[in-house]
Amino acid sequence: LAKTTQPISMDSYEGQEVNITCSHNNIATNDYITWYQQFPSQGPRFIIQGYKTKVTNEVASLFIPADRKSSTLSLPRVSLSDTAVYYCLVGGGNNRLAFGKGNQVVVIP
Amino acid sequence: DVKVTQSSRYLVKRTGEKVFLECVQDMDHENMFWYRQDPGLGLRLIYFSYDVKMKEKGDIPEGYSVSREKKERFSLILESASTNQTSMYLCASSLGGGQANEQFFGPGTRLTVL
């Protein structure tokens, strides 16, 4: 398993951009970086996936530096409904994907 | 839309009972997974399956077994339920061809073992 390290929790005000970092020092050459979002009483939901540089979709952006030992999920202009747990996963190549404990993001009015 | 359904949202069993948790997906996915989720521990993988009759142990397989007789159905079995198996159980499925493929989750089964 590729170990990932995320902050346990963070708060943000409504309308701000939120950046969530994840460290993954033992990422393998053929591993991907994937982020999921989980609301209370629901299963996780896929947000975004990348291999290197930057990936953007309608929900978020994912920034991956050249060494790929970390990544940053960026949520633009968060709303109260973005309050959730965010999981960073690394794997799919030599390492099996593992969810870990995630990062609780609370959006404050 | 992919749909993953789980047989029960809530289940209460007694210690020593045999418990079956069923999961069905309707998108012809090759991969299926069983996780448990506990406060402060995140999601932990119990078992996964890449194909019919195939199974692989995850991180915490002790006390559990699985069955995949048909592609769309993946069952988690607690041979003799214990109180430390009280948890939220989540099933997921994904396309084959890569472990990083997007996983689609069911609503979860909250199991209480008394």
Side-chain angles (χ1 to χ4, degrees), chain A:
Chain A
L1 295 176
K3 181 176 167 57
T4 58
T5 303
Q6 300 176 246
I8 295 174
S9 65
M10 60 190 301
D11 297 340
S12 180
Y13 286 100
E14 205 171 7
Q16 287 187 332
E17 178 183 74
V18 172
N19 295 307
I20 308 169
T21 59
C22 181
S23 298
H24 28 81
N25 291 318
N26 63 339
I27 187 170
T29 303
N30 51 357
D31 284 339
Y32 286 83
I33 299 159
T34 312
W35 286 78
Y36 282 78
Q37 174 191 55
Q38 185 179 24
F39 298 114
S41 301
Q42 294 185 24
R45 184 182 69 162
F46 174 92
I47 301 176
I48 198 167
Q49 183 180 81
Y51 182 79
K52 61 180 179 179
T53 63
K54 177 183 175 182
V55 179
T56 297
N57 62 20
E58 63 278 4
V59 176
S61 294
L62 177 59
F63 299 92
I64 305 168
D67 66 5
R68 304 201 326 125
K69 294 184 183 300
S70 66
S71 58
T72 300
L73 176 73
S74 180
L75 306 173
R77 297 180 298 282
V78 293
S79 64
L80 298 178
S81 62
D82 291 316
T83 292
V85 178
Y86 293 83
Y87 295 93
C88 164
L89 288 75
V90 169
N94 289 350
N95 288 308
R96 180 167 55 75
L97 285 179
F99 271 83
K101 300 178 183 179
N103 178 348
Q104 172 70 63
V105 172
V106 176
V107 179
I108 305 166

Side-chain angles (χ1 to χ4, degrees), chain A residues 1 32 34 36 38 41-46 49 87 89 91-93 95-102, chain B residues 9 35 37 40-43 45 48 50 57-59 88 90 98-107:
Chain A
L1 295 176
Y32 286 83
T34 312
Y36 282 78
Q38 185 179 24
S41 301
Q42 294 185 24
R45 184 182 69 162
F46 174 92
Q49 183 180 81
Y87 295 93
L89 288 75
N95 288 308
R96 180 167 55 75
L97 285 179
F99 271 83
K101 300 178 183 179
Chain B
R9 287 302 305 268
Y35 295 89
Q37 184 168 29
L41 297 177
L43 278 84
L45 182 65
F48 58 103
Y50 289 134
K57 292 181 179 179
D59 300 316
M88 169 67 82
L90 290 157
Q99 289 188 50
N101 291 338
E102 179 180 354
Q103 294 184 31
F104 295 85
F105 282 81

